[in-house]
């Protein structure tokens, strides 16, 4: 390669959301500066039951891409999600249902963070759930959308994700990318020719068309056609940390009133998640194939869902990260870079992280990309591992009964997570780490919800009397109640938004 030649052509190979969210972002950011983006679309791997369940940061990316929320939800049949409702149907002592919300828990009291104040009150006999102090969680449990205003902004963070039927979401992204000027090849097969240095020189499409580029993005999902099959970059398995190795997906009819949250229902042999939207309710059942057959998983998922399942598909789950996600002149994003356990629905967020950091480190000239490649590999592995740790915590601390959960609790815990749990158990503190996706409040909600009671708290809180805490708790709860009553029902808000 000529090291002083401007980088002006990027080729993205893949399918479905990985391909089209990546192409949208690359076109929007690089098109105005003269970089051509070529999309090579492989046949879809989607099923009618697939739902893209997102974390809150996707809304900000959509805004940067000029994707209008009302149009997106109208054309996809999507809905909002304010978090995850974990429903404990069986468990050990201390097991209970809890809500992991996309929002702040409580508000500062006398200049002190809310959580240590709540912890002091709980240790002194106040029987008040942490989630009762979360405006987002209370709104969700009451079937309300949460529209922020000055008062809620002053109270704390309120966020939301989406439940988007994936086939419709991909169609929307594809049409938007074409409007942004990407060059598209719809193909059946891609092979690779490398140069003498081992970098990708040319892609051969359907045995004849030759497509050249300077930088190649692998968005081919689990196939990893470029980074894995062609360049031979191996996977680093995370199998030792996770019991789930099979995932069933299906759908049931839409709810009459669509809940603004996902629900996770643990059973003795795994867990079932419901992802409601206006088209249908997506169902995911995660389990271990050594403990449960696909047929038995279908029966359990049907029981947990309370309805007959349609469009059922089963697939393996193999959590791992690619040893290097940028190799030579090839960058892997989404499923070709990393595969996660299905809990907490992090795949789309991991894809977004890969895209955003690629744009942040996008090289100006073609060449060896050594500095950019080294930094991208460092930061992406750090991000992926922090997400993995949040997922591992759900299994390591799961207060549910059954052989699956016993096996899950026996899996080895990554050392950074073990240290985080130990510090929280001892002092009620969440150790800050670089490249975290989930906020300290999310960690607090998860760890408390899973049954950890910290042994001590911040001594600074001892200066606040229990009477003062009681008064402030009452004020916060009254504010939350009044604000939630002002909010529109989720269904009504969706209808009005989609008509706008």
């Amino acid at each position: 390669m000529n090291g002083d030649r401007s980088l002006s052509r990027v080729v993205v190979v893949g399918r479905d959301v990985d391909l089209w969210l990546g192409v949208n972002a690359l076109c929007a950011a690089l098109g105005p500066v003269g970089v051509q983006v070529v999309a090579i679309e492989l046949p879809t791997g989607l099923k009618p039951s697939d739902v893209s369940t997102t974390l809150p940061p996707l809304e900000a990316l959509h805004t940067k891409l000029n994707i209008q929320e009302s149009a997106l939800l109208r054309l996809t049949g999507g809905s909002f999600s304010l978090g995850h409702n974990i429903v404990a149907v069986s468990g050990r002592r201390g097991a209970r249902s809890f809500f992991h919300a996309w929002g702040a828990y409580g508000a500062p009291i006398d200049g002190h963070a809310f959580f240590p104040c709540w912890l002091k009150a709980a240790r002194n006999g106040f029987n008040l759930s942490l989630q009762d102090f979360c405006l987002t969680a209370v709104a969700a449990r009451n079937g309300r959308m949460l529209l922020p205003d000055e008062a809620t902004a002053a109270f704390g963070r309120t966020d939301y994700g989406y439940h988007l039927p994936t086939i419709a979401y991909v169609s929307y992204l594809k049409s938007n990318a074409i409007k942004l000027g990407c060059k598209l090849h719809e193909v059946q097969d891609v092979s690779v020719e490398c140069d003498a240095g081992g970098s990708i020189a040319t892609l051969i499409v359907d045995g004849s068309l030759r497509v050249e580029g300077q930088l190649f993005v692998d968005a081919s999902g689990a196939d990893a056609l470029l980074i894995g099959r062609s360049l031979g970059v191996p996977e680093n398995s995370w199998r030792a940390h996770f019991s789930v190795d099979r995932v069933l997906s299906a759908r049931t009819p839409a709810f009459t009133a669509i809940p603004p949250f996902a629900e996770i229902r643990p059973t003795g042999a795994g867990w079932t998640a419901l992802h409601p939207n206006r088209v249908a309710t997506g169902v995911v059942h995660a389990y271990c194939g050594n403990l449960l057959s696909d047929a038995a998983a279908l029966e359990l998922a049907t029981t947990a869902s309370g309805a007959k399942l349609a469009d059922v598909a089963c697939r393996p789950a193999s959590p791992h990260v690619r040893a290097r996600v940028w190799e030579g002149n090839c960058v892997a994003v989404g499923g070709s870079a990393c595969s996660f356990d299905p809990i907490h629905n992090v795949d789309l967020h991991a894809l977004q992280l890969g895209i955003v950091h690629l744009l942040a480190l996008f090289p100006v000239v073609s060449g060896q990309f050594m500095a950019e490649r080294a930094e991208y590999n460092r930061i992406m592995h750090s991000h992926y591992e922090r997400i993995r740790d949040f997922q591992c915590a759900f299994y390591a601390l799961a207060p549910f009964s059954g052989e699956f959960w016993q096996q899950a609790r026996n899996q080895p815990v990554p050392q950074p997570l073990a240290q985080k749990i130990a510090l929280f158990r001892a002092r009620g503190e969440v150790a800050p780490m670089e490249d975290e996706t989930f906020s300290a409040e999310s960690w607090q909600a998860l760890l408390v919800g899973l049954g950890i009671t910290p042994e001590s708290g911040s001594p600074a809180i001892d200066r606040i009397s229990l009477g003062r805490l009681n008064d402030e708790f009452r004020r916060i709860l009254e504010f939350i109640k009044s604000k939630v009553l002002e909010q529109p029902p989720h269904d009504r808000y969706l209808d009005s938004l989609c008509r706008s």
Side-chain angles (χ1 to χ4, degrees):
M1 287 187 181
N2 183 355
D4 59 3
R5 184 159 54 103
S6 294
L7 203 159
S8 59
R9 186 176 170 89
V10 178
V11 180
V12 189
V13 178
R15 57 171 61 87
D16 303 328
V17 178
D18 285 10
L19 172 67
W20 290 114
L21 189 63
V23 169
N24 268 268
L26 291 168
C27 285
L30 304 178
V33 296
V35 177
Q36 183 184 41
V37 179
V38 180
I40 298 180
E41 184 182 31
L42 295 161
T44 183
L46 295 175
K47 307 294 183 185
S49 56
D50 290 334
V51 177
S52 291
T53 53
T54 79
L55 302 189
L58 186 66
E59 187 269 338
L61 179 60
H62 281 173
T63 299
K64 289 180 179 293
L65 299 177
N66 292 318
I67 291 175
Q68 188 180 35
E69 187 171 79
S70 58
L72 173 69
L73 294 175
R74 181 176 68 252
L75 294 172
T76 63
S79 63
F80 293 98
S81 174
L82 302 181
H84 294 150
N85 190 34
I86 291 88
V87 180
V89 295
S90 62
R92 302 180 298 180
R93 182 180 178 184
R96 58 191 182 277
S97 301
F98 68 97
F99 200 100
H100 173 216
W102 307 133
Y105 286 73
I109 297 175
D110 294 346
H112 297 282
F114 177 79
F115 183 75
C117 296
W118 174 84
L119 188 58
K120 174 180 177 176
R123 290 203 309 271
N124 283 276
F126 284 50
N127 187 23
L128 297 167
S129 170
L130 180 63
Q131 64 193 1
D132 289 339
F133 293 92
C134 178
L135 181 56
T136 315
V138 176
R141 295 204 311 266
N142 284 275
R144 307 284 183 126
M145 187 56 193
L146 188 59
L147 306 180
D149 56 21
E150 289 186 8
T152 58
F155 177 78
R157 179 174 54 90
T158 58
D159 286 323
Y160 59 80
Y162 303 108
H163 293 157
L164 304 171
T166 307
I167 291 176
Y169 181 43
V170 167
S171 177
Y172 184 93
L173 290 174
K174 181 176 179 178
S175 64
N176 200 63
I178 292 171
K179 292 176 185 176
L180 290 171
C182 84
K183 184 176 181 181
L184 170 62
H185 299 285
E186 296 174 331
V187 309
Q188 296 296 315
D189 181 65
V190 173
S191 59
V192 176
E193 287 185 356
C194 293
D195 61 22
S199 292
I200 297 174
T202 305
L203 302 181
I204 304 173
V205 173
D206 289 339
S208 58
L209 178 66
R210 300 174 68 84
V211 179
E212 296 182 345
Q214 296 161 295
L215 186 70
F216 295 84
V217 177
D218 189 340
S220 63
D223 289 342
L225 291 178
L226 306 185
I227 197 81
R229 293 190 188 179
S230 298
L231 298 184
V233 179
E235 300 172 356
N236 291 338
S237 176
W238 288 337
R239 166 56 51 218
H241 303 302
F242 296 96
S243 291
V244 173
D245 59 15
R246 298 285 292 170
V247 178
L248 177 150
S249 63
R251 63 175 177 170
T252 64
F255 285 94
T256 303
I258 302 168
F261 55 86
E263 187 155 288
I264 299 171
R265 301 174 176 178
T267 68
W271 53 264
T272 301
L274 306 182
H275 302 128
N277 56 77
R278 291 185 297 126
V279 175
T281 300
V283 178
V284 169
H285 185 76
Y287 56 105
C288 174
N290 288 336
L291 302 177
L292 202 67
S293 68
D294 289 349
L298 174 58
E299 185 176 345
L300 270 179
T302 302
T303 301
S305 303
K308 185 177 180 180
L309 303 185
D311 300 314
V312 177
C314 295
R315 59 179 173 82
S318 178
H320 66 266
V321 64
R322 196 67 52 179
R324 296 173 300 282
V325 292
W326 188 335
E327 177 82 347
N329 61 344
C330 176
V331 182
V333 297
S336 62
C338 197
S339 178
F340 289 94
D341 187 90
I343 196 68
H344 304 312
N345 315 120
V346 300
D347 289 337
L348 197 50
H349 182 71
L351 168 65
Q352 180 179 346
L353 286 172
I355 295 166
V356 168
H357 285 289
L358 172 57
L359 289 172
L361 290 166
F362 192 81
V364 177
V365 296
S366 62
Q368 298 303 311
F369 314 129
M370 293 179 65
E372 295 93 342
R373 184 168 61 241
E375 176 61 8
Y376 187 83
N377 281 323
R378 182 197 69 80
I379 198 168
M380 292 316 302
H381 276 85
S382 178
H383 274 294
Y384 293 152
E385 287 168 1
R386 299 292 73 74
I387 294 172
R388 174 207 63 192
D389 290 352
F390 193 82
Q391 293 188 308
C392 283
F394 182 81
Y395 295 105
L397 301 171
F400 313 119
S401 64
E403 188 175 1
F404 172 88
W405 296 105
Q406 185 60 52
Q407 178 176 294
R409 289 188 291 270
N410 290 336
Q411 304 287 105
V413 173
Q415 186 58 31
L417 174 59
Q419 293 173 346
K420 188 182 287 282
I421 292 173
L423 180 64
F424 186 80
R425 196 186 301 275
R427 299 177 54 84
E429 297 177 5
V430 176
M433 299 187 71
E434 285 188 317
D435 309 320
E436 282 275 19
T437 283
F438 294 96
S439 68
E441 288 174 307
S442 278
W443 277 101
Q444 290 162 356
L446 179 74
L447 297 177
V448 169
L450 291 172
I452 291 187
T453 301
E455 297 165 1
S456 66
S458 170
I461 306 302
D462 292 339
R463 294 195 292 268
I464 306 176
S465 70
L466 292 177
R468 171 67 174 158
L469 289 180
N470 189 55
D471 291 343
E472 284 297 293
F473 285 176
R474 185 181 297 112
R475 180 187 64 81
I476 291 171
L477 293 174
E478 288 175 353
F479 171 81
I480 290 174
K481 180 180 179 181
S482 66
K483 272 297 166 188
V484 168
L485 290 175
E486 294 175 7
Q487 306 304 313
H490 181 226
D491 284 344
R492 193 173 77 197
Y493 180 72
L494 272 175
D495 288 344
S496 65
L497 182 69
C498 292
R499 285 197 305 268
S500 58

